[in-house]
Amino acid sequence: MSEQTSKMKQGTGLRIPGLEALRDAPFFNVLIAIVVIYVMLTILTGETFNTVNNQITIMRAASVFLILAVGQTLVMSTGGIDISTGSMIGAVGAIIGIGLESGWMPAGLALPAAILLGAALGAFNGFNVTVLGVPPLLATLGTFVAYRGFTQYFMGVNLVTGLPDIITTIGRAYFLGVPVPVWTALVVTFLGWFVLRRTIYGRYIIAIGSNPAAARATRINVRAITASTYIIQGACAGLAALVLMGRLDSASAAMGEGLELHIIAAVVLGGTYLFGGSSTMVGTLLGVYLIGMLENGLIQTGAGFFVQKMILGLLIIGAVALQLHQKKKRPT
Amino acid sequence: MTENGQLLLELRNLEKSFGGLRALQGASLEIAQGQTVALVGDNGAGKSTLVKAIAGIQPADSGQIRLRGQDVTISSPKDAGEMGIEVVYQDLALANSLDVAGNIFLGEEPLKVKLGWFSVPDTKQMDAETAETLERLRIRIPDPGRPVANLSGGQRQAVAIGRSIRKGARELLVLDEPTAALGVEEVRKVLGLIGTLKDEGQTMMIVSHDLEHVFMVSDLIAVMRQGRVVATVKTSDVTKTDVVGLIVGDIEGAVA
């Protein structure tokens, strides 16, 4: 494709500016991957993959990931990482679930309470990273274990089911033929895109990730801004927990287990630089779709859960390797 | 000493220790308005520590800083900025992913919509003011809308200096190793830029290892050794050999 573009430019003098901009976009790789894999899966699965219904199924499953990935993109912009997302979902789900079951939590308050709870869990991560100075990977590895431990301690083997309508609506209802979780995720993504691309906050997190010393030498409150990305990630986890509870109509101590790797893979595949300073919300959206599509397609081709895990793990390594390789060629 | 103008900045007996290491052991220095003072010294002589004390990044443990005769306390970069003191650091000046205007205005963007952290910057005004600043300093950057990662070393240095000037280094501009790691042509451009600023009457302190560049642009040379300013000499009165002697301690210092 890149050869074609340059041929057009030299050969006929024809320039397609949109195409050139697209080739330079950080999410170009993931776009190509989506096209190639989409065609492959369509061929491999016969008629079942390339249908409107199946695409909606993919998006509904991916919506929880997308909500989390938006927060992760902001965290990664600063050069941080949050691997405690799955455990935050578990903890929020446990508290809200038990609260609803035992009646002390009014159903109408579940959504704001979940978001605030998530934000509080994220604030603890932010505190550990910015005030105590614990490296993000280890700070959130700590809470990854601790929050899950809390959830299991708090809930035991209980399974809360029969949730109020308001919550199942958030997880299961349709609006204009599209599932409500998909709408929710798209709104969150738009907000994330706006904050990242259009506000000074977006500039500051990019500056912090790109050169922390330079950011510190300005009036930017580097600590507060960095901590706030973990709070936003926590709030996203709170929202995602409620969407997931609504979809499953239940909450258990295992909720959200293992999804953190999905999120990180999606964000990195989308073109956000793992070490901060360069990120793309459009890429994150595409990265989440790519992984959702792969999972869906692999199930349909008969590959099991374990094969999916292997592919996901290798995909992360591949994406990071590719990113580092391109970084060397073209510093951004 | 104040023949070029009024006394601007006085540092008196600044001390700073890091554990057992005494980085500043009573450093004193005077800078007059409109002067260009070069700060030289061997590695570990205390140049960076002195700059960080003036910049508010690592305030001194004791000693006095006076600005235009007034005692001042500089405990953060914000304090320094408000007093009109700006520092351009050797390497840590720019955020690579932002464009020229984004870097020049970083932390002080004009706002189109005010919403605290989520304010929307007025990029048109930023671009226009950036073009003005670059024009004034005769800095030519073909494509200021690209991330500064794509710029050459000299252009990056120019952007960093432009940033400090626009922010209003109305009292003092400190340049930390402005010519280090640059090619010959780039060095020429940066020295030209320093000349332009000098013509405008900008007071500057230049930290440098390169004595040739120091002799090309400075009025005074302050030599640091073991945490003290051991000599302040008029550039026109000394030779490079003299200055080297002062740096390594073969010649005992005498404050001019």
Side-chain angles (χ1 to χ4, degrees):
Chain A
M1 180 132 202
S2 65
E3 262 177 38
Q4 256 178 14
T5 340
S6 59
K7 251 186 225 159
M8 273 188 232
K9 222 166 72 180
Q10 292 163 0
T12 63
L14 182 71
R15 286 186 70 161
I16 305 174
L19 203 61
E20 257 172 50
L22 197 63
R23 203 189 54 205
D24 282 344
F27 52 81
F28 181 72
N29 291 332
V30 70
L31 204 57
I32 295 300
I34 285 176
V35 172
V36 171
I37 295 172
Y38 196 102
V39 171
M40 273 170 52
L41 288 174
T42 302
I43 295 166
L44 283 174
T45 61
E47 315 232 299
T48 51
F49 178 77
N50 186 22
T51 65
V52 173
N53 271 343
N54 190 50
Q55 291 305 312
I56 286 181
T57 303
I58 292 175
M59 287 187 229
R60 188 174 48 206
S63 54
V64 166
F65 295 145
L66 183 55
I67 293 168
L68 291 165
V70 168
Q72 190 72 233
T73 305
L74 300 180
V75 171
M76 275 197 190
S77 301
T78 68
I81 194 166
D82 189 344
I83 57 173
S84 71
T85 44
S87 299
M88 288 198 281
I89 284 188
V92 171
I95 294 171
I96 302 288
I98 297 284
L100 288 168
E101 189 179 50
S102 56
W104 53 259
M105 164 85 61
L109 279 184
L111 181 61
I115 293 173
L116 280 176
L117 256 171
L121 297 174
F124 185 59
N125 281 335
F127 174 84
N128 295 335
V129 169
T130 59
V131 180
L132 301 186
V134 182
L137 186 66
L138 290 169
T140 58
L141 178 63
T143 51
F144 164 77
V145 176
Y147 289 161
R148 183 63 64 188
F150 163 82
T151 307
Q152 286 158 341
Y153 174 78
F154 190 74
M155 260 200 132
V157 292
N158 283 348
L159 181 74
V160 178
T161 53
L163 295 172
D165 285 350
I166 191 168
I167 293 172
T168 48
T169 301
I170 291 170
R172 290 179 168 176
Y174 282 77
F175 178 66
L176 300 177
V178 175
V180 169
V182 174
W183 285 114
T184 309
L186 289 177
V187 168
V188 169
T189 309
F190 175 77
L191 288 175
W193 172 83
F194 183 81
V195 162
L196 183 65
R197 280 287 160 262
R198 290 283 177 266
T199 69
I200 56 171
Y201 183 83
R203 281 169 183 264
Y204 294 173
I205 59 176
I206 292 290
I208 290 167
S210 168
N211 188 344
R216 240 174 268 126
T218 69
R219 294 173 183 209
I220 298 174
N221 189 340
V222 173
R223 253 188 204 175
I225 297 254
T226 306
S228 74
T229 59
Y230 291 90
I231 296 174
I232 292 174
Q233 172 73 91
C236 289
L239 175 61
L242 214 69
V243 171
L244 197 55
M245 281 168 72
R247 196 171 84 215
L248 304 172
D249 189 17
S250 70
S252 73
M255 197 168 79
E257 245 171 14
L259 56 67
E260 48 283 323
L261 214 57
H262 261 86
I263 309 304
I264 292 160
V267 175
V268 175
L269 276 171
T272 291
Y273 188 45
L274 184 61
F275 303 107
S278 166
S279 48
T280 153
M281 211 50 89
V282 177
T284 293
L285 176 74
L286 296 174
V288 169
Y289 175 71
L290 173 64
I291 290 187
M293 175 177 96
L294 256 179
E295 264 189 338
N296 175 286
L298 285 171
I299 293 171
Q300 294 193 27
T301 55
F305 178 64
F306 302 118
V307 176
Q308 284 179 39
K309 274 173 103 172
M310 287 192 285
I311 291 179
L312 185 64
L314 295 177
L315 211 55
I316 293 183
I317 297 174
V320 173
L322 185 65
Q323 214 173 51
L324 293 172
H325 174 70
Q326 292 188 329
K327 213 76 181 171
K328 252 182 256 166
K329 279 199 309 199
R330 188 182 56 184
T332 313
Chain B
M1 157 102 208
T2 57
E3 70 228 51
N4 289 340
Q6 185 196 349
L7 191 58
L8 180 75
L9 183 76
E10 293 167 80
L11 310 177
R12 291 259 172 278
N13 288 317
L14 295 188
E15 308 227 353
K16 176 80 187 176
S17 298
F18 301 98
L21 177 75
R22 297 180 64 202
L24 292 182
Q25 310 183 18
S28 300
L29 180 66
E30 295 182 349
I31 300 176
Q33 171 119 34
Q35 265 182 339
T36 301
V37 178
L39 190 64
V40 301
D42 220 338
N43 290 330
K47 303 187 300 283
S48 299
T49 313
L50 190 70
V51 168
K52 282 177 184 160
I54 299 174
I57 288 187
Q58 279 168 2
D61 298 332
S62 65
Q64 277 183 311
I65 300 179
R66 312 186 80 189
L67 187 68
R68 295 192 181 281
Q70 304 277 327
D71 279 319
V72 292
T73 311
I74 307 178
S75 47
S76 71
K78 202 176 164 188
D79 285 352
E82 275 161 14
M83 289 170 202
I85 298 172
E86 292 291 338
V87 184
V88 179
Y89 297 96
Q90 183 182 350
D91 259 342
L92 37 96
L94 303 181
N96 274 338
S97 313
L98 299 180
D99 63 3
V100 172
N103 270 286
I104 284 188
F105 282 89
L106 187 58
E108 292 164 36
E109 294 82 359
L111 303 176
K112 204 159 61 181
V113 181
K114 272 196 183 178
L115 262 175
W117 278 358
F118 301 109
S119 299
V120 180
D122 186 343
T123 47
K124 268 187 194 153
Q125 190 189 335
M126 285 165 62
D127 289 341
E129 276 191 48
T130 298
E132 233 169 75
T133 305
L134 297 182
E135 172 86 5
R136 192 185 121 208
L137 299 175
R138 284 174 232 141
I139 302 167
R140 212 167 299 140
I141 293 172
D143 194 356
R146 306 264 301 170
V148 297
N150 300 318
L151 300 183
S152 72
Q155 287 173 326
R156 292 167 58 85
Q157 189 65 257
V159 171
I161 293 173
R163 164 182 167 72
S164 300
I165 295 298
R166 197 219 59 88
K167 276 170 76 181
R170 57 181 191 281
E171 302 289 19
L172 178 69
L173 177 65
V174 182
L175 302 175
D176 185 13
E177 297 285 359
T179 56
L182 294 186
V184 178
E185 177 60 17
E186 301 269 280
V187 166
R188 204 180 58 78
K189 282 189 183 151
V190 170
L191 292 179
L193 174 55
I194 292 173
T196 306
L197 292 171
K198 211 170 159 177
D199 293 342
E200 287 193 358
Q202 177 71 51
T203 313
M204 284 178 282
M205 181 162 125
I206 298 174
V207 181
S208 182
H209 269 98
D210 194 311
L211 289 184
E212 195 174 327
H213 301 158
V214 164
F215 272 80
M216 282 164 81
V217 296
S218 69
D219 303 314
L220 287 181
I221 300 176
V223 182
M224 287 196 79
R225 198 188 327 135
Q226 293 171 353
R228 287 193 190 86
V229 178
V230 294
T232 307
V233 294
K234 262 194 175 172
T235 308
S236 52
D237 291 350
V238 291
T239 64
K240 267 181 225 166
T241 321
D242 297 337
V243 176
V244 171
L246 286 165
I247 289 173
V248 299
D250 287 348
I251 305 174
E252 279 308 308
V255 177

